[in-house]
Amino acid sequence: MRKIIAGETPAIDEIGVENYAEKLLSRSVLAAAPEIKKSDIVVVQETGQEAVAKYLEEFANVFRQLKTRGSENELPIAMHALDTQEYGKLEQLKDHEDAYATALSALRTLRVPASLENFHISTLNYLSKFKLAVEFMRNAEQDPILAMLAIIERAPLEDEFKIFLAESQQKIISEHRNP
């Protein structure tokens, strides 16, 4: 540090820097998202078709509301801000962050049939990671590296979530089909 302050060129361990960068990239920045556990949700022992149908309708309502979180997906907003270094549009991400917080809150209070507990907890944990990604992206001007790492993780996470939902839907249908 003294060499930099004195205007000298410091001896940089390029291999050490490269190893540190690889280590940083191998860790998930979204793993820091608050983890939702069984104690955070309302599990009910009702397992009949009526309870499951009511749950699924309320669950779908939360996601319909979440889809109204903004006119533009958060990724292009953040990528544009980082690319152009014009950070004004990042304030639009506040609506996205608030929408995720509202969805998380609504889903936490939803009465979950015991048979759907794992599905529900997994969904909440995905949303928690999405919310954290938006927080990091929204803070791109102050911490562009963290924002970039969140962007890198966000797109595959969305794909993973879509696969999880599709597989879960098939499983729920097969398990709760009328005999």
PDB file of all heavy atoms in Angstrom, residues 65-95:
ATOM      1  N   GLN A  65     -49.405 -11.322  -8.418  1.00  0.00           N
ATOM      2  CA  GLN A  65     -49.048  -9.996  -7.905  1.00  0.00           C
ATOM      3  C   GLN A  65     -47.557  -9.722  -8.106  1.00  0.00           C
ATOM      4  O   GLN A  65     -47.165  -8.620  -8.473  1.00  0.00           O
ATOM      5  CB  GLN A  65     -49.428  -9.890  -6.423  1.00  0.00           C
ATOM      6  CG  GLN A  65     -49.248  -8.521  -5.846  1.00  0.00           C
ATOM      7  CD  GLN A  65     -50.134  -7.476  -6.504  1.00  0.00           C
ATOM      8  OE1 GLN A  65     -51.266  -7.755  -6.884  1.00  0.00           O
ATOM      9  NE2 GLN A  65     -49.618  -6.285  -6.658  1.00  0.00           N
ATOM     10  N   LEU A  66     -46.730 -10.720  -7.881  1.00  0.00           N
ATOM     11  CA  LEU A  66     -45.286 -10.561  -8.047  1.00  0.00           C
ATOM     12  C   LEU A  66     -44.921 -10.210  -9.482  1.00  0.00           C
ATOM     13  O   LEU A  66     -43.995  -9.436  -9.724  1.00  0.00           O
ATOM     14  CB  LEU A  66     -44.558 -11.843  -7.610  1.00  0.00           C
ATOM     15  CG  LEU A  66     -43.034 -11.843  -7.687  1.00  0.00           C
ATOM     16  CD1 LEU A  66     -42.438 -10.760  -6.801  1.00  0.00           C
ATOM     17  CD2 LEU A  66     -42.492 -13.213  -7.297  1.00  0.00           C
ATOM     18  N   LYS A  67     -45.656 -10.738 -10.440  1.00  0.00           N
ATOM     19  CA  LYS A  67     -45.364 -10.458 -11.851  1.00  0.00           C
ATOM     20  C   LYS A  67     -45.553  -8.987 -12.207  1.00  0.00           C
ATOM     21  O   LYS A  67     -45.045  -8.530 -13.225  1.00  0.00           O
ATOM     22  CB  LYS A  67     -46.244 -11.320 -12.761  1.00  0.00           C
ATOM     23  CG  LYS A  67     -45.760 -12.741 -12.869  1.00  0.00           C
ATOM     24  CD  LYS A  67     -46.554 -13.500 -13.897  1.00  0.00           C
ATOM     25  CE  LYS A  67     -45.991 -14.886 -14.081  1.00  0.00           C
ATOM     26  NZ  LYS A  67     -46.687 -15.627 -15.118  1.00  0.00           N
ATOM     27  N   THR A  68     -46.250  -8.235 -11.371  1.00  0.00           N
ATOM     28  CA  THR A  68     -46.471  -6.814 -11.652  1.00  0.00           C
ATOM     29  C   THR A  68     -45.352  -5.944 -11.075  1.00  0.00           C
ATOM     30  O   THR A  68     -45.495  -4.729 -11.011  1.00  0.00           O
ATOM     31  CB  THR A  68     -47.829  -6.345 -11.065  1.00  0.00           C
ATOM     32  OG1 THR A  68     -47.770  -6.419  -9.633  1.00  0.00           O
ATOM     33  CG2 THR A  68     -48.977  -7.176 -11.586  1.00  0.00           C
ATOM     34  N   ARG A  69     -44.224  -6.547 -10.714  1.00  0.00           N
ATOM     35  CA  ARG A  69     -43.172  -5.833  -9.996  1.00  0.00           C
ATOM     36  C   ARG A  69     -42.491  -4.725 -10.778  1.00  0.00           C
ATOM     37  O   ARG A  69     -41.764  -3.933 -10.226  1.00  0.00           O
ATOM     38  CB  ARG A  69     -42.140  -6.802  -9.446  1.00  0.00           C
ATOM     39  CG  ARG A  69     -41.283  -7.496 -10.464  1.00  0.00           C
ATOM     40  CD  ARG A  69     -40.387  -8.509  -9.759  1.00  0.00           C
ATOM     41  NE  ARG A  69     -39.605  -9.283 -10.662  1.00  0.00           N
ATOM     42  CZ  ARG A  69     -40.021 -10.394 -11.266  1.00  0.00           C
ATOM     43  NH1 ARG A  69     -41.222 -10.837 -11.065  1.00  0.00           N
ATOM     44  NH2 ARG A  69     -39.222 -11.045 -12.081  1.00  0.00           N
ATOM     45  N   GLY A  70     -42.664  -4.671 -12.050  1.00  0.00           N
ATOM     46  CA  GLY A  70     -42.029  -3.612 -12.822  1.00  0.00           C
ATOM     47  C   GLY A  70     -42.214  -3.864 -14.292  1.00  0.00           C
ATOM     48  O   GLY A  70     -42.473  -4.986 -14.712  1.00  0.00           O
ATOM     49  N   SER A  71     -42.085  -2.812 -15.064  1.00  0.00           N
ATOM     50  CA  SER A  71     -42.298  -2.951 -16.503  1.00  0.00           C
ATOM     51  C   SER A  71     -41.122  -3.641 -17.191  1.00  0.00           C
ATOM     52  O   SER A  71     -41.241  -4.136 -18.292  1.00  0.00           O
ATOM     53  CB  SER A  71     -42.534  -1.576 -17.127  1.00  0.00           C
ATOM     54  OG  SER A  71     -41.402  -0.752 -16.909  1.00  0.00           O
ATOM     55  N   GLU A  72     -39.990  -3.664 -16.512  1.00  0.00           N
ATOM     56  CA  GLU A  72     -38.783  -4.243 -17.116  1.00  0.00           C
ATOM     57  C   GLU A  72     -38.145  -5.211 -16.128  1.00  0.00           C
ATOM     58  O   GLU A  72     -38.143  -4.974 -14.913  1.00  0.00           O
ATOM     59  CB  GLU A  72     -37.800  -3.107 -17.451  1.00  0.00           C
ATOM     60  CG  GLU A  72     -36.654  -3.504 -18.308  1.00  0.00           C
ATOM     61  CD  GLU A  72     -35.769  -2.314 -18.683  1.00  0.00           C
ATOM     62  OE1 GLU A  72     -36.135  -1.166 -18.442  1.00  0.00           O
ATOM     63  OE2 GLU A  72     -34.691  -2.579 -19.225  1.00  0.00           O
ATOM     64  N   ASN A  73     -37.588  -6.291 -16.626  1.00  0.00           N
ATOM     65  CA  ASN A  73     -36.882  -7.258 -15.800  1.00  0.00           C
ATOM     66  C   ASN A  73     -35.685  -6.574 -15.144  1.00  0.00           C
ATOM     67  O   ASN A  73     -35.061  -5.696 -15.742  1.00  0.00           O
ATOM     68  CB  ASN A  73     -36.434  -8.428 -16.687  1.00  0.00           C
ATOM     69  CG  ASN A  73     -35.790  -9.539 -15.905  1.00  0.00           C
ATOM     70  OD1 ASN A  73     -34.761  -9.359 -15.265  1.00  0.00           O
ATOM     71  ND2 ASN A  73     -36.402 -10.698 -15.952  1.00  0.00           N
ATOM     72  N   GLU A  74     -35.355  -7.023 -13.936  1.00  0.00           N
ATOM     73  CA  GLU A  74     -34.271  -6.373 -13.198  1.00  0.00           C
ATOM     74  C   GLU A  74     -32.893  -6.546 -13.836  1.00  0.00           C
ATOM     75  O   GLU A  74     -32.041  -5.669 -13.726  1.00  0.00           O
ATOM     76  CB  GLU A  74     -34.238  -6.833 -11.735  1.00  0.00           C
ATOM     77  CG  GLU A  74     -34.210  -8.299 -11.510  1.00  0.00           C
ATOM     78  CD  GLU A  74     -35.551  -8.897 -11.131  1.00  0.00           C
ATOM     79  OE1 GLU A  74     -36.612  -8.380 -11.510  1.00  0.00           O
ATOM     80  OE2 GLU A  74     -35.540  -9.926 -10.460  1.00  0.00           O
ATOM     81  N   LEU A  75     -32.643  -7.647 -14.521  1.00  0.00           N
ATOM     82  CA  LEU A  75     -31.328  -7.883 -15.111  1.00  0.00           C
ATOM     83  C   LEU A  75     -30.929  -6.832 -16.154  1.00  0.00           C
ATOM     84  O   LEU A  75     -29.832  -6.276 -16.067  1.00  0.00           O
ATOM     85  CB  LEU A  75     -31.243  -9.289 -15.700  1.00  0.00           C
ATOM     86  CG  LEU A  75     -31.168 -10.418 -14.670  1.00  0.00           C
ATOM     87  CD1 LEU A  75     -31.264 -11.775 -15.357  1.00  0.00           C
ATOM     88  CD2 LEU A  75     -29.897 -10.329 -13.860  1.00  0.00           C
ATOM     89  N   PRO A  76     -31.784  -6.530 -17.141  1.00  0.00           N
ATOM     90  CA  PRO A  76     -31.391  -5.508 -18.113  1.00  0.00           C
ATOM     91  C   PRO A  76     -31.169  -4.126 -17.482  1.00  0.00           C
ATOM     92  O   PRO A  76     -30.284  -3.390 -17.913  1.00  0.00           O
ATOM     93  CB  PRO A  76     -32.565  -5.465 -19.093  1.00  0.00           C
ATOM     94  CG  PRO A  76     -33.241  -6.786 -18.951  1.00  0.00           C
ATOM     95  CD  PRO A  76     -33.036  -7.195 -17.526  1.00  0.00           C
ATOM     96  N   ILE A  77     -31.953  -3.808 -16.466  1.00  0.00           N
ATOM     97  CA  ILE A  77     -31.780  -2.509 -15.789  1.00  0.00           C
ATOM     98  C   ILE A  77     -30.387  -2.441 -15.170  1.00  0.00           C
ATOM     99  O   ILE A  77     -29.652  -1.465 -15.367  1.00  0.00           O
ATOM    100  CB  ILE A  77     -32.866  -2.299 -14.708  1.00  0.00           C
ATOM    101  CG1 ILE A  77     -34.248  -2.172 -15.348  1.00  0.00           C
ATOM    102  CG2 ILE A  77     -32.546  -1.068 -13.853  1.00  0.00           C
ATOM    103  CD1 ILE A  77     -35.410  -2.198 -14.357  1.00  0.00           C
ATOM    104  N   ALA A  78     -30.021  -3.479 -14.430  1.00  0.00           N
ATOM    105  CA  ALA A  78     -28.720  -3.491 -13.756  1.00  0.00           C
ATOM    106  C   ALA A  78     -27.561  -3.557 -14.752  1.00  0.00           C
ATOM    107  O   ALA A  78     -26.561  -2.850 -14.600  1.00  0.00           O
ATOM    108  CB  ALA A  78     -28.658  -4.662 -12.781  1.00  0.00           C
ATOM    109  N   MET A  79     -27.716  -4.400 -15.774  1.00  0.00           N
ATOM    110  CA  MET A  79     -26.633  -4.525 -16.759  1.00  0.00           C
ATOM    111  C   MET A  79     -26.424  -3.216 -17.515  1.00  0.00           C
ATOM    112  O   MET A  79     -25.283  -2.819 -17.771  1.00  0.00           O
ATOM    113  CB  MET A  79     -26.915  -5.683 -17.709  1.00  0.00           C
ATOM    114  CG  MET A  79     -26.799  -7.024 -17.006  1.00  0.00           C
ATOM    115  SD  MET A  79     -26.882  -8.520 -18.021  1.00  0.00           S
ATOM    116  CE  MET A  79     -28.246  -8.255 -19.081  1.00  0.00           C
ATOM    117  N   HIS A  80     -27.507  -2.528 -17.853  1.00  0.00           N
ATOM    118  CA  HIS A  80     -27.389  -1.239 -18.538  1.00  0.00           C
ATOM    119  C   HIS A  80     -26.671  -0.226 -17.643  1.00  0.00           C
ATOM    120  O   HIS A  80     -25.796   0.514 -18.110  1.00  0.00           O
ATOM    121  CB  HIS A  80     -28.773  -0.725 -18.942  1.00  0.00           C
ATOM    122  CG  HIS A  80     -28.732   0.625 -19.587  1.00  0.00           C
ATOM    123  ND1 HIS A  80     -28.337   0.805 -20.896  1.00  0.00           N
ATOM    124  CD2 HIS A  80     -29.010   1.861 -19.098  1.00  0.00           C
ATOM    125  CE1 HIS A  80     -28.375   2.094 -21.186  1.00  0.00           C
ATOM    126  NE2 HIS A  80     -28.779   2.756 -20.108  1.00  0.00           N
ATOM    127  N   ALA A  81     -27.040  -0.206 -16.368  1.00  0.00           N
ATOM    128  CA  ALA A  81     -26.405   0.745 -15.443  1.00  0.00           C
ATOM    129  C   ALA A  81     -24.911   0.476 -15.333  1.00  0.00           C
ATOM    130  O   ALA A  81     -24.107   1.416 -15.357  1.00  0.00           O
ATOM    131  CB  ALA A  81     -27.072   0.652 -14.073  1.00  0.00           C
ATOM    132  N   LEU A  82     -24.523  -0.774 -15.228  1.00  0.00           N
ATOM    133  CA  LEU A  82     -23.105  -1.107 -15.122  1.00  0.00           C
ATOM    134  C   LEU A  82     -22.373  -0.826 -16.429  1.00  0.00           C
ATOM    135  O   LEU A  82     -21.241  -0.344 -16.424  1.00  0.00           O
ATOM    136  CB  LEU A  82     -22.924  -2.573 -14.727  1.00  0.00           C
ATOM    137  CG  LEU A  82     -23.261  -2.899 -13.279  1.00  0.00           C
ATOM    138  CD1 LEU A  82     -23.357  -4.408 -13.082  1.00  0.00           C
ATOM    139  CD2 LEU A  82     -22.225  -2.296 -12.333  1.00  0.00           C
ATOM    140  N   ASP A  83     -23.033  -1.100 -17.547  1.00  0.00           N
ATOM    141  CA  ASP A  83     -22.422  -0.905 -18.857  1.00  0.00           C
ATOM    142  C   ASP A  83     -22.191   0.574 -19.159  1.00  0.00           C
ATOM    143  O   ASP A  83     -21.134   0.956 -19.657  1.00  0.00           O
ATOM    144  CB  ASP A  83     -23.303  -1.540 -19.932  1.00  0.00           C
ATOM    145  CG  ASP A  83     -22.613  -1.640 -21.268  1.00  0.00           C
ATOM    146  OD1 ASP A  83     -21.391  -1.905 -21.300  1.00  0.00           O
ATOM    147  OD2 ASP A  83     -23.298  -1.460 -22.303  1.00  0.00           O
ATOM    148  N   THR A  84     -23.178   1.397 -18.850  1.00  0.00           N
ATOM    149  CA  THR A  84     -23.102   2.824 -19.178  1.00  0.00           C
ATOM    150  C   THR A  84     -22.600   3.687 -18.026  1.00  0.00           C
ATOM    151  O   THR A  84     -22.294   4.856 -18.228  1.00  0.00           O
ATOM    152  CB  THR A  84     -24.484   3.357 -19.591  1.00  0.00           C
ATOM    153  OG1 THR A  84     -25.372   3.246 -18.473  1.00  0.00           O
ATOM    154  CG2 THR A  84     -25.027   2.615 -20.801  1.00  0.00           C
ATOM    155  N   GLN A  85     -22.562   3.102 -16.841  1.00  0.00           N
ATOM    156  CA  GLN A  85     -22.235   3.819 -15.606  1.00  0.00           C
ATOM    157  C   GLN A  85     -23.208   4.970 -15.355  1.00  0.00           C
ATOM    158  O   GLN A  85     -22.855   5.994 -14.770  1.00  0.00           O
ATOM    159  CB  GLN A  85     -20.778   4.280 -15.605  1.00  0.00           C
ATOM    160  CG  GLN A  85     -19.816   3.122 -15.581  1.00  0.00           C
ATOM    161  CD  GLN A  85     -18.379   3.545 -15.437  1.00  0.00           C
ATOM    162  OE1 GLN A  85     -18.048   4.719 -15.356  1.00  0.00           O
ATOM    163  NE2 GLN A  85     -17.502   2.569 -15.406  1.00  0.00           N
ATOM    164  N   GLU A  86     -24.436   4.772 -15.799  1.00  0.00           N
ATOM    165  CA  GLU A  86     -25.534   5.693 -15.504  1.00  0.00           C
ATOM    166  C   GLU A  86     -26.448   4.945 -14.544  1.00  0.00           C
ATOM    167  O   GLU A  86     -27.154   4.019 -14.940  1.00  0.00           O
ATOM    168  CB  GLU A  86     -26.277   6.074 -16.785  1.00  0.00           C
ATOM    169  CG  GLU A  86     -25.423   6.875 -17.743  1.00  0.00           C
ATOM    170  CD  GLU A  86     -26.112   7.107 -19.081  1.00  0.00           C
ATOM    171  OE1 GLU A  86     -27.323   6.830 -19.205  1.00  0.00           O
ATOM    172  OE2 GLU A  86     -25.417   7.543 -20.002  1.00  0.00           O
ATOM    173  N   TYR A  87     -26.423   5.350 -13.288  1.00  0.00           N
ATOM    174  CA  TYR A  87     -27.044   4.570 -12.239  1.00  0.00           C
ATOM    175  C   TYR A  87     -28.441   5.045 -11.838  1.00  0.00           C
ATOM    176  O   TYR A  87     -29.055   4.457 -10.950  1.00  0.00           O
ATOM    177  CB  TYR A  87     -26.128   4.527 -11.009  1.00  0.00           C
ATOM    178  CG  TYR A  87     -24.786   3.910 -11.331  1.00  0.00           C
ATOM    179  CD1 TYR A  87     -23.649   4.703 -11.500  1.00  0.00           C
ATOM    180  CD2 TYR A  87     -24.663   2.536 -11.492  1.00  0.00           C
ATOM    181  CE1 TYR A  87     -22.423   4.121 -11.810  1.00  0.00           C
ATOM    182  CE2 TYR A  87     -23.450   1.948 -11.808  1.00  0.00           C
ATOM    183  CZ  TYR A  87     -22.332   2.748 -11.954  1.00  0.00           C
ATOM    184  OH  TYR A  87     -21.128   2.171 -12.265  1.00  0.00           O
ATOM    185  N   GLY A  88     -28.967   6.038 -12.485  1.00  0.00           N
ATOM    186  CA  GLY A  88     -30.277   6.583 -12.135  1.00  0.00           C
ATOM    187  C   GLY A  88     -31.416   5.570 -12.234  1.00  0.00           C
ATOM    188  O   GLY A  88     -32.322   5.557 -11.394  1.00  0.00           O
ATOM    189  N   LYS A  89     -31.374   4.723 -13.256  1.00  0.00           N
ATOM    190  CA  LYS A  89     -32.460   3.748 -13.449  1.00  0.00           C
ATOM    191  C   LYS A  89     -32.466   2.652 -12.384  1.00  0.00           C
ATOM    192  O   LYS A  89     -33.446   1.925 -12.252  1.00  0.00           O
ATOM    193  CB  LYS A  89     -32.375   3.111 -14.839  1.00  0.00           C
ATOM    194  CG  LYS A  89     -32.812   4.038 -15.965  1.00  0.00           C
ATOM    195  CD  LYS A  89     -32.804   3.334 -17.294  1.00  0.00           C
ATOM    196  CE  LYS A  89     -34.125   2.609 -17.460  1.00  0.00           C
ATOM    197  NZ  LYS A  89     -34.261   1.948 -18.769  1.00  0.00           N
ATOM    198  N   LEU A  90     -31.383   2.538 -11.632  1.00  0.00           N
ATOM    199  CA  LEU A  90     -31.333   1.512 -10.592  1.00  0.00           C
ATOM    200  C   LEU A  90     -32.412   1.733  -9.534  1.00  0.00           C
ATOM    201  O   LEU A  90     -32.826   0.790  -8.869  1.00  0.00           O
ATOM    202  CB  LEU A  90     -29.953   1.473  -9.922  1.00  0.00           C
ATOM    203  CG  LEU A  90     -28.818   0.929 -10.765  1.00  0.00           C
ATOM    204  CD1 LEU A  90     -27.499   1.038 -10.018  1.00  0.00           C
ATOM    205  CD2 LEU A  90     -29.081  -0.512 -11.173  1.00  0.00           C
ATOM    206  N   GLU A  91     -32.878   2.971  -9.408  1.00  0.00           N
ATOM    207  CA  GLU A  91     -33.941   3.250  -8.435  1.00  0.00           C
ATOM    208  C   GLU A  91     -35.214   2.492  -8.789  1.00  0.00           C
ATOM    209  O   GLU A  91     -36.019   2.197  -7.914  1.00  0.00           O
ATOM    210  CB  GLU A  91     -34.185   4.761  -8.328  1.00  0.00           C
ATOM    211  CG  GLU A  91     -34.951   5.154  -7.093  1.00  0.00           C
ATOM    212  CD  GLU A  91     -34.368   4.611  -5.781  1.00  0.00           C
ATOM    213  OE1 GLU A  91     -33.143   4.570  -5.611  1.00  0.00           O
ATOM    214  OE2 GLU A  91     -35.178   4.212  -4.921  1.00  0.00           O
ATOM    215  N   GLN A  92     -35.393   2.145 -10.066  1.00  0.00           N
ATOM    216  CA  GLN A  92     -36.550   1.333 -10.471  1.00  0.00           C
ATOM    217  C   GLN A  92     -36.537  -0.033  -9.791  1.00  0.00           C
ATOM    218  O   GLN A  92     -37.585  -0.656  -9.612  1.00  0.00           O
ATOM    219  CB  GLN A  92     -36.554   1.111 -11.988  1.00  0.00           C
ATOM    220  CG  GLN A  92     -36.805   2.332 -12.813  1.00  0.00           C
ATOM    221  CD  GLN A  92     -36.696   2.014 -14.303  1.00  0.00           C
ATOM    222  OE1 GLN A  92     -36.582   0.874 -14.703  1.00  0.00           O
ATOM    223  NE2 GLN A  92     -36.728   3.060 -15.112  1.00  0.00           N
ATOM    224  N   LEU A  93     -35.361  -0.484  -9.401  1.00  0.00           N
ATOM    225  CA  LEU A  93     -35.248  -1.797  -8.768  1.00  0.00           C
ATOM    226  C   LEU A  93     -35.848  -1.816  -7.367  1.00  0.00           C
ATOM    227  O   LEU A  93     -36.097  -2.885  -6.817  1.00  0.00           O
ATOM    228  CB  LEU A  93     -33.790  -2.255  -8.741  1.00  0.00           C
ATOM    229  CG  LEU A  93     -33.147  -2.485 -10.107  1.00  0.00           C
ATOM    230  CD1 LEU A  93     -31.704  -2.949  -9.947  1.00  0.00           C
ATOM    231  CD2 LEU A  93     -33.942  -3.486 -10.923  1.00  0.00           C
ATOM    232  N   LYS A  94     -36.109  -0.657  -6.806  1.00  0.00           N
ATOM    233  CA  LYS A  94     -36.770  -0.590  -5.493  1.00  0.00           C
ATOM    234  C   LYS A  94     -38.138  -1.259  -5.578  1.00  0.00           C
ATOM    235  O   LYS A  94     -38.539  -1.985  -4.661  1.00  0.00           O
ATOM    236  CB  LYS A  94     -36.889   0.870  -5.033  1.00  0.00           C
ATOM    237  CG  LYS A  94     -37.636   1.051  -3.740  1.00  0.00           C
ATOM    238  CD  LYS A  94     -36.785   0.624  -2.561  1.00  0.00           C
ATOM    239  CE  LYS A  94     -37.447   1.002  -1.250  1.00  0.00           C
ATOM    240  NZ  LYS A  94     -37.760  -0.127  -0.416  1.00  0.00           N
ATOM    241  N   ASP A  95     -38.871  -1.032  -6.684  1.00  0.00           N
ATOM    242  CA  ASP A  95     -40.175  -1.680  -6.866  1.00  0.00           C
ATOM    243  C   ASP A  95     -40.030  -3.197  -6.906  1.00  0.00           C
ATOM    244  O   ASP A  95     -40.850  -3.928  -6.366  1.00  0.00           O
ATOM    245  CB  ASP A  95     -40.847  -1.197  -8.153  1.00  0.00           C
ATOM    246  CG  ASP A  95     -41.234   0.267  -8.099  1.00  0.00           C
ATOM    247  OD1 ASP A  95     -41.403   0.804  -6.981  1.00  0.00           O
ATOM    248  OD2 ASP A  95     -41.362   0.881  -9.173  1.00  0.00           O
TER     249      ASP A  95
END
